[in-house]
Amino acid sequence: MRDTVWRELVARARRGPAAWVVAAAGMALPGLRRTAGALSAGMVGERADLDAELLAGFLQALHTADIDAAHVYPRLIRAGERAALRFRDADARHQVVSGGGFWSSAPARPWDHPDLVLLRAVAANVITAGEATLIGSTRLDLVPLAKAAAQAGISVAAARQRRRRAEHRLAASLSDHEHAPTPTYGP
């Protein structure tokens, strides 16, 4: 039902007057606000710019996203989130602090966009590509576990157990990175 409403709303925003774009943004406001709050936690810099990037990413996806696929609303919000993350991370690289003759930049975050976290975990051999796909599809893209299990050719119980084990390894790896010393850089 939710996808049906969002498909119609996106279709009207694409072909109708600008009021439908405003309506879509208004309907997405709860998700956009939650995302903006999560992204701005601990952020140094102008939050209004982050909000603008989030909204711009959402609006771009409103005109380009595949509305025939499932989970239209979460995918639109995630598109906005990706745009805001690119801005936040680029902005953080430019935040340099000086004091007492030492220079350092903001610490590198061990977290990032969920898709990038999963890719780095695969590259570091923390989880396999199959486990990353399982986590990403079921946790981020909201694919039912039964469907993901069928696509992987395993039982639902096996998929649940595989995902749980991979998530534990991933969490432990992220926790280890959180407690690692933060590098400093010169001017």
Side-chain angles (χ1 to χ4, degrees), residues 78-97:
R78 284 188 62 218
E81 179 184 30
R82 285 189 298 273
L85 279 168
R86 283 190 299 272
F87 168 79
R88 185 196 68 191
D89 293 344
D91 189 53
R93 285 191 289 274
H94 298 290
Q95 301 290 332
V96 177
V97 179

Side-chain angles (χ1 to χ4, degrees), residues 110-144:
W111 59 90
D112 200 344
H113 186 276
D115 291 336
L116 298 177
V117 171
L118 291 172
L119 285 173
R120 281 195 297 270
V122 170
N125 293 319
V126 173
I127 59 176
T128 67
E131 290 167 335
T133 299
L134 181 62
I135 292 169
S137 65
T138 60
R139 298 292 194 196
L140 304 175
D141 296 332
L142 307 176
V143 172

Side-chain angles (χ1 to χ4, degrees), residues 6 9 19-32 55 58 73:
W6 272 96
L9 187 56
W20 284 107
V21 174
V22 174
M27 293 287 294
L29 195 55
L32 291 170
L55 182 59
F58 170 83
Y73 172 69

Side-chain angles (χ1 to χ4, degrees), residues 134 145-146 148-150 152 154-164:
L134 181 62
L145 188 58
I154 58 176
S155 70
V156 173
R160 184 177 294 112
Q161 186 175 23
R162 185 177 293 174
R163 180 180 67 184
R164 183 182 54 77

